Amino acid sequence: MGSAMSEWYHHRQRWAARGALAAAASAALLPLVAGGLSGLLLLVAGLAGLALTAAALWWVLSRRGPARMAAAVLAVAAPVGLITLFATANLLWVVFLSLLLWCAAVWSGRYALRSTGLRPVRVKEYRTPPPQRPFLLLNPRSGGGKVEKFGLKEKAEALGARVVLLDPEQCQDVTALARAAVADGADLLGVAGGDGTQALVAAVAAEHGLPFLVIAAGTRNHFAMDLGLDRDDPSRCLDALTDGVELRVDLGFADDRPFVNNASFGVYGAVVQSPGYREDKVGAALERLPELLTRQSGPRLTASADGTTIADPQAVLVSNNPYRMDDPFGFGRRERLNSGRLGVLAVRVDSAVEAAELLLSPRPEGLTVLTAQHVVVHADTPHLEVGLDGEALTLPAPVHCRITRRALRVRVPRDRPGVPEAPPRLDWRRLRKLAAAVSRTAAPSRSWRT
C-alpha cells in the first residue's frame, strides 16, 4: 500500500514538472502566437521599455534639479506608454495571460520540486529548562513606542524577569548593562529594541554562553522575522520565558563589532550617517546619492571574499548568512541562520546602460553575489563609514568581517508564527529530468534537520 501511494505521489510530481514546462513555454510563445509579427515587435518594445525605465531610475538617483525631474517623468511615462501600446494593439490580454501562465509554471514547478531534496534545511530546536533569572533591556522609543503599547515591562516582570528601561534622554551603554547583569547572576539576556541593540547584547550572551531572547519591538525586526517571531504582537515573544526552545544561530562581526543582520559599506554606509536620516530616509538618500553614485564623494572600495576580489563597487553588503535573491516573495529573507557563511552582495553601476543591464540581464556584470567565511573591505581612506544593522558607525580601514558559527543560543517561543516555508529554488534542468522520469529515481529524499 505504501509503495503504491509513493508511486502515485511521484506520478503527480512528474506531471507537475511537465505542467510547469508547458506553462513556461506557453507564456513565452503566447505573444508570438497571438500577435504574430506585431506580438514580436511589442515584445521587443516591452524589453526596451523596461530598459528605459531602469535607465530613468538611475538618472533620478544620480542627478539633481531639472534633470532629476525629467528622469522621474520618464520613469513613469515609460511603463504607462507600454501599457497604452499593448492596449492599442488589443494585446493587453496577452500580457496578463502570459503573467498568469508564468505564475502557474512557478507554482507547478515548485510543487514538483517540493520533495526532491531541494528544500531548505530547518533549524534544529533544543528543549532546555526555562531561565530562573532572566534580564531584559527595553527601549521605550523603539518601534514608535511598542514597549508601552503592548505593556512589555509589566508582562515581563509578571513572568519573573528583571527589567531595565533604557532612558531615551541618555546615551547608555547596553553592552555594559548586559555585562553587569551577567555578573549579577542573570541566566538569560533579552532585548526589546532595534537590530543594532539586539546585536550588542547578543554578543555578550554568546560570550558567556547564555540564552538570548529577541523581543520584536523594533521598527523592522529583520532578525526576529528570520527567527519566525511574531512582529505584530511583540508580547508573544515573552512566551519563551516559560514555554520556549533554543536555536543555535550564527553571529557576524565587523572587526570586533557584532551584527545579527548585515554590515553595509559604500552608498548605504554613507547615507545612514546623514543627520536627518532617521526622520526622512528618502530625503536623506536623494540628497547624498548623486555624489556617491557618480563617485564624486565617498571612498573607493575593494572587497576580498575568500580569495575573490571585487573591484571598485559602489556598495557592498555583508550579511550574517546569505539573503535569498531568486524569489521575489522571499526577497530579503534568509533561509538559514546557521550555515556558517557570510552572504556578500556587491553592486557596481556607472551608467544608465549598466543600470538597465542590472534589471534585464540574468547575470549582470555589475552584480556580485557569493558566500564566504571571511570578507575584507578595503578603502582609499583611513576610515570607512559603515551601516551596521542600520546603525551608523565609522571603523578603521580595512574592515575584516567574519562569522562565528552557531555561537548564539536564541530562546524563542515553542509556538510561534514561523517564517513561511521557503519554496524550493526553481531548477529548470531538474524539472526536465523529473518530467522525463519514469520512476522515483529523480526524486531523492533528504533530511531537513541539522
Side-chain angles (χ1 to χ4, degrees):
M1 182 68 178
S3 177
M5 288 295 294
S6 179
E7 185 60 37
W8 174 79
Y9 178 79
H10 290 293
H11 176 75
R12 292 177 59 186
Q13 187 181 56
R14 289 194 297 274
W15 278 104
R18 293 165 185 169
L21 295 174
S26 299
L29 294 174
L30 182 60
L32 304 179
V33 174
L37 181 59
S38 297
L40 177 61
L41 293 176
L42 287 174
L43 183 61
V44 173
L47 294 175
L50 289 176
L52 185 59
T53 302
L57 290 174
W58 163 258
W59 289 322
V60 168
L61 298 176
S62 60
R63 299 292 186 270
R64 295 185 184 277
R68 171 177 282 176
M69 295 300 298
V73 171
L74 181 60
V76 174
V80 171
L82 278 178
I83 294 173
T84 304
L85 186 63
F86 276 89
T88 302
N90 293 321
L91 290 176
L92 193 58
W93 66 272
V94 173
V95 177
F96 290 114
L97 185 54
S98 291
L99 290 175
L100 288 175
L101 286 169
W102 273 114
C103 291
V106 171
W107 181 88
S108 186
R110 284 175 172 168
Y111 175 82
L113 295 170
R114 197 166 292 278
S115 65
T116 61
L118 299 179
R119 282 187 290 182
V121 179
R122 291 180 178 176
V123 179
K124 184 176 181 180
E125 297 178 353
Y126 297 85
R127 297 188 179 276
T128 57
Q132 300 301 308
R133 301 191 64 185
F135 173 80
L136 305 181
L137 283 169
L138 308 183
N139 184 353
R141 296 182 62 180
S142 186
K146 289 183 180 179
V147 169
E148 181 179 355
K149 177 181 178 181
F150 290 93
L152 298 181
K153 181 178 184 295
E154 294 75 16
K155 292 178 181 178
E157 289 176 337
L159 293 172
R162 179 190 165 201
V163 177
V164 171
L165 279 178
L166 296 175
D167 188 345
E169 302 301 325
Q170 298 182 12
C171 184
Q172 294 175 279
D173 188 339
V174 296
T175 299
L177 291 172
R179 292 188 186 280
V182 173
D184 195 38
D187 60 356
L188 175 142
L189 299 178
V191 178
D195 288 323
T197 306
Q198 299 275 0
L200 294 174
V201 180
V204 178
E207 178 186 349
H208 293 275
L210 296 178
F212 176 65
L213 176 65
V214 176
I215 304 173
T219 303
R220 294 182 180 84
N221 299 118
H222 290 294
F223 189 47
M225 175 181 67
D226 291 331
L227 289 169
L229 300 178
D230 191 336
R231 297 187 297 165
D232 296 323
D233 183 1
S235 65
R236 290 189 60 188
C237 300
L238 296 173
D239 294 344
L241 294 176
T242 54
D243 185 18
V245 294
E246 288 187 10
L247 312 176
R248 306 289 195 269
V249 305
D250 304 336
L251 191 60
F253 288 88
D255 288 343
D256 60 344
R257 296 296 299 249
F259 60 90
V260 294
N261 290 328
N262 56 63
S264 295
F265 305 87
V267 171
Y268 179 76
V271 168
V272 76
Q273 312 284 333
S274 302
Y277 177 76
R278 296 298 174 189
E279 291 73 27
D280 182 10
K281 292 180 173 59
V282 174
L286 290 176
E287 176 63 29
R288 295 213 55 188
L289 281 176
E291 285 74 26
L292 292 169
L293 292 177
T294 56
R295 305 182 190 278
Q296 298 176 49
S297 67
R300 305 298 288 257
L301 303 178
T302 302
S304 176
D306 285 355
T308 300
T309 300
I310 306 169
D312 212 19
Q314 281 125 321
V316 177
L317 179 76
V318 180
S319 59
N320 175 15
N321 285 260
Y323 290 108
R324 186 155 189 170
M325 302 291 295
D326 65 329
D327 180 11
F329 298 103
F331 190 83
R333 291 180 180 268
R334 290 167 287 184
E335 289 181 350
R336 297 179 60 181
L337 290 171
N338 64 350
S339 70
R341 305 286 292 179
L342 294 167
V344 182
L345 174 65
V347 179
R348 175 177 177 172
V349 181
D350 290 313
S351 68
V353 173
E354 292 180 1
E357 181 191 10
L358 198 65
L359 177 65
L360 297 178
S361 174
R363 294 184 179 179
E365 291 185 5
L367 179 67
T368 302
V369 181
L370 50 84
T371 65
Q373 290 183 314
H374 189 236
V375 179
V376 183
V377 182
H378 302 266
D380 61 352
T381 55
H383 291 86
L384 266 172
E385 295 175 323
V386 186
L388 203 66
D389 284 337
E391 301 294 330
L393 295 176
T394 301
L395 299 177
V399 177
H400 294 256
C401 299
R402 57 185 172 86
I403 191 166
T404 305
R405 190 177 190 194
R406 305 186 185 188
L408 186 60
R409 299 167 51 193
V410 180
R411 189 168 182 87
V412 296
R414 183 175 55 83
D415 180 20
R416 59 193 188 278
V419 179
E421 183 181 317
R425 299 174 186 272
L426 275 180
D427 186 333
W428 295 103
R429 181 193 299 180
R430 187 79 180 188
L431 283 173
R432 288 195 298 270
K433 290 182 178 180
L434 282 172
V438 295
S439 67
R440 286 175 285 168
T441 56
S445 61
R446 186 181 74 180
S447 173
W448 286 9
R449 294 189 175 269
T450 58

